[in-house]
Amino acid sequence: MGTMLQRYKFEEEDFRGDRFKDFPHPLKGNNDLLSLTQPEAVKEVHRLYFQAGADIVETNTFSGTTIGMADYHMEDLVYELNYQSAKIAREVADEFTDKPRFVAGSIGPTNRTASMSPDVNDPGYRAVTFDDLRIAYKQQVEALLDGGCDLLLVETIFDTLNAKAALFAIEEVKEERNIEVPIMVSGTITDASGRTLSGQTVEAFLISVSHIPLLSVGFNCALGADLLKPYLKTLAHNTSFNVSAHPNAGLPNAFGEYDESPEQTQAFIKEYLEENLVNIIGGCCGTTPEHIKLMAEIAKNYKPRTPQVVD
């Protein structure tokens, strides 16, 4: 979503639209806000990915909590942002009748961590608590479901404690509404150490989230498909859940841009499929509809991974 929205080269006035033209704080960079001020652009992005063969699109809500929106002084808009983002994605999904198309509510990690101190001089300090996160995520989840999401994706997890707060909030909403909602969980391996930012190995991350019945567990972002593969393999061999992966288009270059071509990505994804590693495959930073089109083409030739029976 971010890669595609950058192509529009939106400036401050585009982010503001008419509704926020007199808002007292800068808004450029608040991509979630575009669901209100540039809804046709967001719809077009969803449409392009569905046309490329995607079965699932994510809502434009990666930063859609009061914690994320505090940077822009827009905490009061959280429900509306999530509701409208889900509604937009749902409307586009319903345009496609050739096969089932699904909307995943994107639940990002926030810009704070519950496990680590942001202050090197005060290791015990926390910028956010579990309850802060739970309350913020619950509001987001309620709006995403009200807007028409089919499933929820807790993604780009760098701190599993944050994710556990999101999962707790989802379970609360499910219980209160007496509903079942498929949940995808996707962590982020931050570097060659094979750990999340908060220090967990693949196995530790998996154990930390396996108390919830999940549609899938997987990894996204941070690494390209080639560097992600060994960690995905560890995950696939240790879980009976479905496994998902939406890697970046390689690593960013010196300008923060992604150079990996759709053909290169397709070759790496083919290895995943040949080795029975994934059930759900997609793309994160730098991946365009062209990348997804080639993924979809190659995926047609393979059966989804058969989940392991794990004691």
Side-chain angles (χ1 to χ4, degrees):
M1 176 59 75
T3 297
M4 296 298 286
L5 289 175
Q6 283 172 9
R7 291 183 172 189
Y8 289 89
K9 294 186 165 49
F10 288 133
E11 295 298 335
E12 181 71 29
E13 59 270 23
D14 301 305
F15 280 88
R16 289 174 174 272
D18 287 335
R19 179 172 168 185
F20 301 103
K21 65 177 185 292
D22 297 322
F23 196 75
H25 303 282
L27 296 177
K28 186 178 179 182
N30 186 355
N31 281 352
D32 293 25
L33 182 61
L34 295 172
S35 294
L36 302 184
T37 56
Q38 302 291 339
E40 290 308 313
V42 177
K43 276 189 173 183
E44 182 62 17
V45 173
H46 289 318
R47 198 172 287 119
L48 287 169
Y49 280 113
F50 276 136
Q51 287 169 351
D55 301 295
I56 305 169
V57 297
E58 294 182 43
T59 53
N60 180 36
T61 55
F62 186 79
S63 302
T65 57
T66 49
I67 295 167
M69 282 297 127
D71 285 356
Y72 298 98
H73 305 271
M74 286 194 147
E75 297 95 322
D76 293 347
L77 281 173
V78 162
Y79 183 90
E80 185 183 359
L81 283 171
N82 285 278
Y83 178 84
Q84 289 300 334
S85 293
K87 187 165 173 282
I88 284 169
R90 172 86 272 141
E91 285 170 2
V92 178
D94 291 344
E95 293 173 11
F96 293 82
T97 56
D98 56 330
K99 61 178 181 176
R101 308 292 184 126
F102 302 99
V103 175
S106 171
I107 300 172
T110 82
N111 51 6
R112 299 183 202 169
T113 167
S115 291
M116 297 180 292
S117 172
D119 183 354
V120 292
N121 298 311
D122 186 0
Y125 173 70
R126 295 292 181 269
V128 71
T129 67
F130 184 91
D131 270 345
D132 293 336
L133 290 161
R134 177 186 63 81
I135 292 163
Y137 280 130
K138 188 174 181 182
Q139 184 182 13
Q140 182 176 29
V141 167
E142 288 172 336
L144 288 170
L145 292 175
D146 290 348
C149 287
D150 300 296
L151 58 144
L152 297 170
L153 170 56
V154 182
E155 64 161 316
T156 322
I157 299 162
F158 59 79
D159 181 349
T160 310
L161 190 56
N162 288 37
K164 286 167 88 77
L167 293 171
F168 194 97
I170 293 168
E171 292 301 305
E172 275 192 316
V173 175
K174 282 166 59 178
E175 190 173 333
E176 288 170 9
R177 298 188 176 196
N178 194 26
I179 56 171
E180 281 303 319
V181 183
I183 306 166
M184 295 175 66
V185 163
S186 185
T188 290
I189 299 295
T190 49
D191 55 35
S193 70
R195 293 172 181 263
T196 64
L197 187 67
S198 56
Q200 283 191 309
T201 61
V202 172
E203 294 91 338
F205 166 71
L206 177 61
I207 290 166
S208 296
V209 297
S210 291
H211 61 294
I212 301 280
L214 301 174
L215 172 65
S216 66
V217 62
F219 291 121
N220 73 288
C221 205
L223 303 175
D226 55 342
L227 296 176
L228 188 62
K229 184 179 168 186
Y231 312 118
L232 205 58
K233 191 177 287 189
T234 301
L235 191 68
H237 291 166
N238 283 283
T239 185
S240 53
F241 292 136
N242 292 316
V243 170
S244 74
H246 48 293
N248 290 346
L251 294 175
N253 61 27
F255 302 101
E257 294 166 352
Y258 293 86
D259 300 323
E260 189 173 284
S261 70
E263 291 75 18
Q264 288 171 307
T265 302
Q266 184 191 48
F268 293 132
I269 298 307
K270 186 181 180 188
E271 293 177 19
Y272 287 9
L273 299 168
E274 287 175 342
E275 295 181 37
N276 194 36
L277 299 182
V278 289
N279 302 89
I280 303 169
I281 190 72
C284 201
C285 306
T287 54
T288 64
E290 291 76 24
H291 289 80
I292 298 301
K293 183 170 185 285
L294 293 193
M295 283 187 203
E297 284 177 5
I298 196 77
K300 285 176 187 167
N301 303 325
Y302 295 86
K303 286 189 168 66
R305 163 183 166 274
T306 304
Q308 305 276 104
V309 177
V310 179
D311 294 331

